[in-house]
Amino acid sequence: MPPISSDALVLRSYKLGETSKVVVLLTRERGKVRAVAKGARGRRNRYHSALEPLSEVRVGLYGRQGAELYRLGECELLRSAFPAGARGLDEAMALSYFAELLDAFSLEGEAEDAVYRLALAIVAAVEEGSPVTALARYLEAWLLRLNGLYPSLDRCASCPRGLPAGSLEYHAGAHGFVCSECGPASGPALTAGTGSYLRRIFGHAPSAVGAAGEDESASLESFHRDLIRRHLERDLRSHRVLRDVARGVRGVQGTPQLDERERDSLPRERKTLP
Amino acid sequence: MADYPAPLARLVDELRRLPGVGPKSAQRIAFHLLKAPKEEAERLAEAVGQLQQALRLCSVCNAVTDREVCATCSDASRVDRVICVVEEPHNLLAVERTRDFKGRYHVLHGALSPLQGIGPDELKVQGLLDRVRGGGVEEVILATSPTVEGEATAAYLARLLKPLAVRVTRIAMGVPVGSDLEWADEVTMAKALEGRREY
């Protein structure tokens, strides 16, 4: 049977047996698929760095159409996200978050060209050095919108009226922003600045949006996280890891060196086998 | 396993859980043990039982050992001022095989992996910071894997260690010795060029 050939983005991989991996791919033609990459963890790994998260690859998949698990044959690396991820901690963590977000929002076997193009644009923007926090908000907003989950920024979710200029009042019961006549809204409220930043997101390429102000970025992050949680009915794993990493970095940078007595009072780590 | 007597079926089931052991191999091992002298089977059972009881993590570097402080950490001939950080205990053996490194080790027991939900709290990071803060350490070599996760872990540790006034270095990435440049992938080749040195 001839292989199915497609361009794809590597979303993640996990161990299979001693030397192989299962790779989750976002393919252009067939949406999300899973494939076994035999020998990908072995000494003679023929896939080299092509299976790192968010690498763009051209793959040959073997197996009958609609199979749950394909066999990965050829895997030509078109563009690696590794150099972008190796640029620093923020970039490396952001790439993992983007991969998990894309994985969570993609359906197996359903091609979505807009999502694929969005993912490519985001990876390209990371490579160009765009701020990863802004790219995270961009990817979240667009994934939510492409899935029909982002509330309209122009029309009230409860009545046919347009939304007034100024802050955006979200009402959970209406699943959208509401006008003053349909309020009071349950919240959160997004400031006018956040609203105009969102319009920039929906009107420009990721590399052209630029960074939001600290407050706008924080409120948007929290708003998006709520929408994502409600849609997926769970939290993304990387949310907690990103939070813990940020806390760890802040903790060390803000803490003076400990003296002997303080060190002794630190909680001891587990000394048994994990 | 319905056709086998219960003790044999149980052994085959347990063996199948081991990495790299499929149903056929599990059956082969089980029948081998059945035919083997009783002492051989008992030796194996005792060795497996001892594994969890006798082994623990070194209180200094977190390597797997049968004592409070492992042989590497108690070796007085090794240099205290350099610590090599690795992800897993078996990575330590890979560095040891070079016979070039005479410093100390620190095992993290994993790498940061947002996709798998592995954060700093799941790694043995605090002990490393304590050792550096304790003084006498001049260099920390970050020998995590050349993957996105390994790079993220190295970058995280570098952020934590640099304020402690210690030299932080990362192992080089490049073309394996004995291989052909023709088969090196572009990312590896780019890293090899980036890490080139003056002759």
Side-chain angles (χ1 to χ4, degrees):
Chain A
M1 190 183 289
I4 299 160
S5 185
S6 179
D7 286 359
L9 275 169
V10 178
L11 295 181
R12 60 176 301 188
S13 62
Y14 45 91
K15 293 175 185 176
L16 179 72
E18 286 281 278
T19 57
S20 301
K21 280 181 177 178
V22 172
V23 190
V24 183
L25 299 159
L26 179 65
T27 63
R28 189 157 222 160
E29 281 86 16
R30 285 160 199 271
K32 190 163 78 173
V33 298
R34 286 165 205 276
V36 174
K38 287 197 108 180
R41 292 169 54 230
R43 197 169 284 191
R44 291 181 192 158
N45 169 20
R46 65 187 172 116
Y47 302 106
H48 301 289
S49 63
L51 302 183
E52 288 298 306
L54 295 184
S55 292
E56 188 189 1
V57 288
R58 183 161 297 144
V59 294
L61 299 167
Y62 293 83
R64 65 180 170 75
Q65 198 157 335
E68 278 188 14
L69 200 58
Y70 290 94
R71 183 170 65 78
L72 184 62
E74 314 78 63
C75 183
E76 182 194 347
L77 181 65
L78 302 178
R79 184 153 70 170
S80 174
F82 186 83
R87 206 178 288 151
L89 178 61
D90 297 338
E91 288 80 1
M93 300 307 284
L95 283 178
S96 294
Y97 175 54
F98 298 163
E100 189 182 12
L101 206 52
L102 287 163
D103 187 10
F105 275 87
S106 304
L107 295 173
E108 304 228 0
E110 283 190 28
E112 290 170 289
D113 195 54
V115 173
Y116 191 83
R117 284 187 286 113
L118 169 67
L120 286 185
I122 289 287
V123 175
V126 178
E127 278 173 8
E128 287 164 22
S130 297
V132 288
T133 317
L135 293 177
R137 301 298 83 78
Y138 190 99
L139 182 61
E140 290 160 355
W142 267 105
L143 281 176
L144 286 162
R145 183 182 232 191
L146 291 170
N147 281 274
L149 301 165
Y150 215 95
S152 167
L153 305 180
D154 305 311
R155 303 220 68 82
C156 173
S158 280
C159 71
R161 276 188 287 268
L163 289 169
S167 66
L168 294 163
E169 308 282 339
Y170 184 79
H171 186 53
H175 299 287
F177 299 114
V178 290
C179 63
S180 49
E181 279 79 6
C182 294
S186 62
L190 301 180
T191 62
T194 309
S196 62
Y197 185 69
L198 272 173
R199 287 186 184 87
R200 258 196 358 251
I201 284 179
F202 291 128
H204 293 85
S207 52
V209 169
E214 209 168 297
D215 289 345
E216 289 156 0
S217 181
S219 65
L220 211 49
E221 181 181 1
S222 153
F223 179 58
H224 286 174
R225 193 163 295 187
D226 277 348
L227 291 178
I228 291 168
R229 191 186 294 126
R230 213 169 300 152
H231 172 61
L232 300 176
E233 296 180 340
R234 65 179 170 92
D235 263 324
L236 292 177
R237 286 170 161 180
S238 41
H239 278 157
R240 181 186 63 79
V241 176
L242 262 64
R243 187 197 63 213
D244 290 352
V245 165
R247 193 195 59 210
V249 171
R250 271 199 313 270
V252 164
Q253 285 171 348
T255 311
Q257 286 206 13
L258 301 174
D259 62 26
E260 199 68 35
R261 190 172 44 79
E262 287 171 319
R263 255 202 326 276
D264 288 345
S265 69
L266 286 171
R268 294 275 170 229
E269 284 176 345
R270 196 162 63 113
K271 289 294 185 292
T272 53
L273 286 170
Chain B
M1 292 296 103
D3 296 336
Y4 289 138
L8 189 61
R10 188 179 155 215
L11 178 62
V12 171
D13 271 350
E14 291 301 326
L15 288 168
R16 278 180 62 182
R17 293 173 202 266
L18 300 176
V21 179
K24 289 274 180 206
S25 301
Q27 284 177 48
R28 212 163 46 240
I29 297 167
F31 277 105
H32 169 82
L33 291 170
L34 190 64
K35 287 179 192 164
K38 198 179 169 202
E39 299 76 44
E40 192 180 319
E42 280 174 353
R43 267 203 314 275
L44 178 68
E46 192 201 342
V48 173
Q50 282 254 314
L51 196 68
Q52 291 285 346
Q53 281 173 8
L55 292 184
R56 49 176 292 138
L57 298 188
C58 170
S59 59
V60 180
C61 73
N62 299 313
V64 178
T65 179
D66 55 353
R67 345 176 195 172
E68 169 72 17
V69 177
C70 73
T72 317
C73 288
S74 30
D75 184 349
S77 69
R78 298 191 80 106
V79 181
D80 286 330
R81 61 177 189 279
V82 187
I83 296 177
C84 178
V85 180
V86 293
E87 287 177 14
E88 299 291 349
H90 57 261
N91 298 149
L92 186 153
L93 300 176
V95 182
E96 274 298 279
R97 276 201 298 269
T98 65
R99 299 195 195 107
D100 270 348
F101 181 68
K102 298 294 174 208
R104 305 288 184 190
Y105 290 96
H106 189 88
V107 186
L108 296 170
H109 287 274
L112 286 181
S113 176
L115 287 167
Q116 290 176 52
I118 301 172
D121 294 347
E122 280 75 41
L123 306 180
K124 307 277 183 195
V125 175
Q126 190 58 52
L128 173 66
L129 300 179
D130 287 349
R131 289 172 75 183
V132 174
R133 283 177 182 136
V137 179
E138 292 171 13
E139 181 180 358
V140 176
I141 303 170
L142 302 173
T144 51
S145 303
T147 59
V148 169
E149 292 170 354
E151 282 294 303
T153 310
Y156 177 68
L157 291 176
R159 287 252 192 119
L160 300 189
L161 290 165
K162 278 188 173 166
L164 305 179
V166 66
R167 185 178 176 223
V168 183
T169 55
R170 176 90 173 101
I171 53 164
M173 292 174 213
V175 187
V177 174
S179 67
D180 196 317
L181 287 188
E182 189 189 346
W183 299 106
D185 77 317
E186 49 267 52
V187 180
T188 309
M189 202 61 217
K191 280 283 170 191
L193 283 170
E194 191 185 302
R196 70 190 184 278
R197 61 183 171 84
E198 190 102 27
Y199 255 123

